[in-house]
């Protein structure tokens, strides 16, 4: 995963308004096809639920026992009883399951510590309460040439036509073949599609690998293929990753991205109806809200807050602003107002001891911003195992308080406690490599001479990192309340 800040040129004017085909018609046709293809019954599609606007509303969330097991191990090794109780509570929270390689679909069996996709769906059925829908979220993350602007999460498939063929047949088709099993039709399956990929095409083509990902058309073809296959299943809900406020918040980047996403969606069989929503902040640390910095145009010392070094003229200080602006821009480009937004709140709480409790009174702009912001990073482009971070809002359907953001849910897409990447080469068969952004001693360009602030000793991306997990639980905001029941 990478989340660099790059400013893009102002793009050409966006396309005009276009009509979307009603999602329900597509869903009904797909349900019929599925019903006929599946086991024979007298009323093939009758029992299947219609495709709903917000799959999370009124639903429970699948809790991944593999995640619970990691947390239990950490809790068992924690001597502080208060922290241990908090950890145990977090272990019962729902998190997304990342299908981060072809082998993740088949799983390694319980002994190998990893369940298959079918195992997860069987467990979701077992967790489903009678009369209440259940959602289960999977991250589709194996594009050829994955993570083109970084090394930490490079993938197994090369950026070639052969890589794309494998992606389509052995990965997307294999996932769709499990999702479409008749016994899973009552699970609302949500698919988070390819974090960072389209944002990298929108802003990072100065990187040669991203430039090739774009010029070859491989990212776009792979994503359209995934959307076509997944949208065809009426109980599957597709959410395209839309980076975060600190990446695409600048007006130029936002306009350019909306144009790209619109073009990608229009090139699918169902057009924009194949996208149910967008998800932001996946694996990032952008706060949901900067409570003391609410107006980017407010002046301090004669200059607008957004012109501070930290915000660098980006008017979106947090994900509630960003999702509002993304939704507004998408609708202006012809997307339906029903397009839902989701925010990954797994690690954006910033409740540590350095959290400010009031707005700064300084009249020096950068000091004012540094003393007022809850985001304690020295630079917004830092993304790897960030020190000082904490858990954010628990997963929740249809959260209130941000009506302009059109939020379908807060989700924990990145399972908190799983590493963002390692700074040294660790032999592996997943394509992952050492990334300087994960090195605590590295001062990245753009960070004003500051070092990354990454936690030392991190394992490979995706692997359990006990020190990070303990830190996130301690710094949670809101604080974890053991014994307070589940918050979702
Ligand atoms: C890694 C994946 C992992 C995911 C969730 C990504 O950065 O590349 O392997 O599944 O994070 O932890």
């Amino acid at each position: 995963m990478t989340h660099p800040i790059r400013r893009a040129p102002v793009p050409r004017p966006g396309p005009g308004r276009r009509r979307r085909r009603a999602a329900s018609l597509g869903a009904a046709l797909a349900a019929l096809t599925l019903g006929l293809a599946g086991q024979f019954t007298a009323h093939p599609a009758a029992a299947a639920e219609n495709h709903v606007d917000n799959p999370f509303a009124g639903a429970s969330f699948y809790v991944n026992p593999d995640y619970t097991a990691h947390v239990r191990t950490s809790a068992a090794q924690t001597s502080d009883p208060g922290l241990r109780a908090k950890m145990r509570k977090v272990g019962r929270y729902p998190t997304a399951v990342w299908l981060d390689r072809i082998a993740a679909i088949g799983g390694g069996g319980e002994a190998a510590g990893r369940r298959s996709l079918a195992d997860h769906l069987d467990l979701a059925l077992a967790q489903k309460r009678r009369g209440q829908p259940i959602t289960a979220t999977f991250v589709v993350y194996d594009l050829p040439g994955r993570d083109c602007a970084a090394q930490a999460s490079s993938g197994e498939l090369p950026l070639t036509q052969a890589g794309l063929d494998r992606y389509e047949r052995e990965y997307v088709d294999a996932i769709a073949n499990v999702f479409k099993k008749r016994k899973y039709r009552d699970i609302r399956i949500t698919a988070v599609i390819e974090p960072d990929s389209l944002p990298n095409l929108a802003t990072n083509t100065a990187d040669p690998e991203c430039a090739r990902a774009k010029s070859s058309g491989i990212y776009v073809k792979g994503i359209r293929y995934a959307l076509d296959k997944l949208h065809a299943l009426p109980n599957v809900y597709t959410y395209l990753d839309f980076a975060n406020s600190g990446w695409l918040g600048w007006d130029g980047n936002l306009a350019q991205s909306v144009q790209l996403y619109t073009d990608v969606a229009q090139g699918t069989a169902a057009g924009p109806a194949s996208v149910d929503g967008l998800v932001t902040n996946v694996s990032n640390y952008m706060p949901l809200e900067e409570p003391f910095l609410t107006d980017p145009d407010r002046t301090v010392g004669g200059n607008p807050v957004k012109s501070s070094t930290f915000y660098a003229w980006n008017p979106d200080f947090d994900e509630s602003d960003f999702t509002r602006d993304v939704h507004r821009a998408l609708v202006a480009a012809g997307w339906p107002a029903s397009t839902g937004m989701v925010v990954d709140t797994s690690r954006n709480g910033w409740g540590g001891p350095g959290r400010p409790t009031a707005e700064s009174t300084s009249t020096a702009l950068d000091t004012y911003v540094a003393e007022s912001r809850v985001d304690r990073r020295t630079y917004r482009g830092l993304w790897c195992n960030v020190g000082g971070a904490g858990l954010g809002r628990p997963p929740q359907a249809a959260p209130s308080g941000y009506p302009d953001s059109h939020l379908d849910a807060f989700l924990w897409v990145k399972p908190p406690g799983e590493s963002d990447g390692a700074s040294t080469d660790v032999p592996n068969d997943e394509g992952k490599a050492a990334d300087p952004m994960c090195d605590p001693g590295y001062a990245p360009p753009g960070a004003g001479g500051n070092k990354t602030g990454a936690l030392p000793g991190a394992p490979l991306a995706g692997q359990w990192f006990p020190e990070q997990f303990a830190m996130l639980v301690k710094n949670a905001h809101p604080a974890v309340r053991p014994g307070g029941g589940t918050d979702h």
Side-chain angles (χ1 to χ4, degrees):
M1 300 286 295
T2 179
H3 310 274
I5 296 178
R6 299 273 163 82
R7 252 180 285 177
V10 178
R12 296 183 306 273
R17 293 184 66 86
R18 286 171 176 82
R19 287 228 156 264
R20 278 164 58 118
R21 182 163 67 76
S24 53
L25 176 63
L29 286 173
L32 189 66
T33 318
L34 260 187
L36 293 173
Q39 212 186 333
F40 176 80
T41 62
H43 307 286
E49 185 191 62
N50 284 333
H51 197 83
V52 297
D53 177 34
N54 178 0
F56 305 99
S60 64
F61 293 59
Y62 170 60
V63 177
N64 176 5
D66 288 346
Y67 183 70
T68 311
H70 281 304
V71 172
R72 286 221 179 106
T73 312
S74 278
Q77 289 159 357
T78 301
S79 51
D80 171 353
L83 181 59
R84 198 164 55 224
K86 288 180 179 183
M87 287 179 170
R88 291 223 167 97
K89 166 118 186 237
V90 172
R92 298 195 296 272
Y93 281 172
T95 50
V97 174
W98 287 62
L99 303 173
D100 61 349
R101 67 199 91 155
I102 291 166
I105 303 167
E110 249 178 272
R114 197 154 177 161
R115 290 174 162 82
S116 68
L117 176 54
D119 290 340
H120 284 294
L121 290 167
D122 288 339
L123 284 161
L125 276 181
Q127 288 178 16
K128 186 177 180 314
R129 299 176 200 127
R130 190 189 288 269
Q132 186 185 20
I134 189 164
T135 59
T137 300
F138 297 92
V139 184
V140 173
Y141 189 51
D142 203 24
L143 266 186
R146 188 178 74 188
D147 206 14
C148 61
Q151 287 79 46
S153 285
S154 306
E156 63 186 349
L157 298 176
L159 189 62
T160 59
Q161 182 59 44
L164 182 61
D165 291 343
R166 286 195 69 196
Y167 180 75
E168 294 182 357
R169 304 277 96 76
E170 295 175 44
Y171 183 70
V172 176
D173 287 357
I175 293 171
N177 284 340
V178 178
F179 282 174
K180 78 179 181 204
K181 289 202 171 135
R182 215 177 138 67
K183 62 175 172 168
Y184 302 137
R185 69 183 174 180
D186 288 334
I187 303 173
R188 294 179 181 174
I189 298 170
T190 56
V192 168
I193 297 180
E194 297 294 352
D196 290 357
S197 54
L198 293 177
N200 271 328
L201 295 194
T203 70
N204 284 336
T205 47
D207 182 299
E209 178 87 347
C210 295
R212 284 208 303 124
K214 187 171 191 173
S215 63
S216 63
I218 288 176
Y219 272 20
V220 168
K221 282 182 206 156
I223 288 171
R224 283 185 179 146
Y225 188 85
L227 285 172
D228 282 340
K229 280 279 161 177
L230 299 178
H231 173 69
L233 309 175
N235 58 321
V236 177
Y237 295 81
T238 57
Y239 286 83
L240 278 180
D241 174 83
F242 207 95
N244 57 66
S245 53
W247 184 347
L248 297 181
W250 284 275
D251 296 345
N253 283 0
L254 182 56
Q256 181 149 320
S257 309
V258 165
Q259 189 170 335
L260 172 64
Y261 280 69
T262 306
D263 176 60
V264 168
Q266 280 166 350
T268 62
S274 63
V275 183
D276 290 285
L278 288 307
V279 49
T280 78
N281 204 38
V282 170
S283 301
N284 210 282
Y285 298 84
M286 302 292 162
L288 180 66
E289 228 177 329
E290 277 294 350
F292 308 119
L293 297 172
T294 52
D295 180 3
D297 295 314
R298 191 199 142 168
T299 57
V300 172
N303 291 303
V305 176
K306 69 182 174 194
S307 74
S308 59
T309 307
F310 191 71
Y311 293 114
W313 294 98
N314 180 342
D316 285 339
F317 293 178
D318 55 39
E319 294 304 291
S320 54
D321 290 352
F322 181 60
T323 44
R324 176 201 62 208
D325 291 347
V326 171
H327 191 272
R328 195 176 281 165
L330 287 170
V331 170
W335 293 59
S338 60
T339 304
M341 304 298 297
V342 167
V343 179
D344 180 359
T345 55
S346 55
R347 309 184 299 182
N348 71 348
W350 293 109
R355 184 182 174 93
T357 51
E359 185 183 357
S360 166
T361 53
S362 175
T363 52
L365 181 56
D366 280 345
T367 308
Y368 166 85
V369 166
E371 290 178 355
S372 299
R373 57 181 159 83
V374 298
D375 182 341
R376 301 315 302 159
R377 288 175 292 186
T378 51
Y379 167 58
R380 286 182 99 195
L382 302 175
W383 54 265
C384 193
N385 302 319
V386 171
L391 303 171
R393 295 270 298 262
Q396 189 188 341
S400 61
Y402 309 96
D404 298 335
S405 293
H406 300 267
L407 295 178
D408 280 355
F410 296 141
L411 293 183
W412 283 10
V413 178
K414 177 76 183 181
E418 290 187 11
S419 173
D420 291 317
S423 64
T424 50
D425 270 316
V426 183
N428 69 91
D429 58 4
E430 302 170 39
K432 289 171 182 163
D435 198 309
M437 291 298 281
C438 305
D439 178 353
Y442 175 63
N450 289 298
K451 301 203 167 134
T452 60
L455 297 180
L460 278 180
Q463 294 191 358
W464 192 248
F465 188 9
E467 292 80 4
Q468 187 201 38
F469 180 65
M471 173 195 75
L472 291 167
V473 175
K474 283 186 206 152
N475 292 342
H477 187 90
V480 180
R481 290 177 296 115
T486 47
D487 291 343
H488 51 85

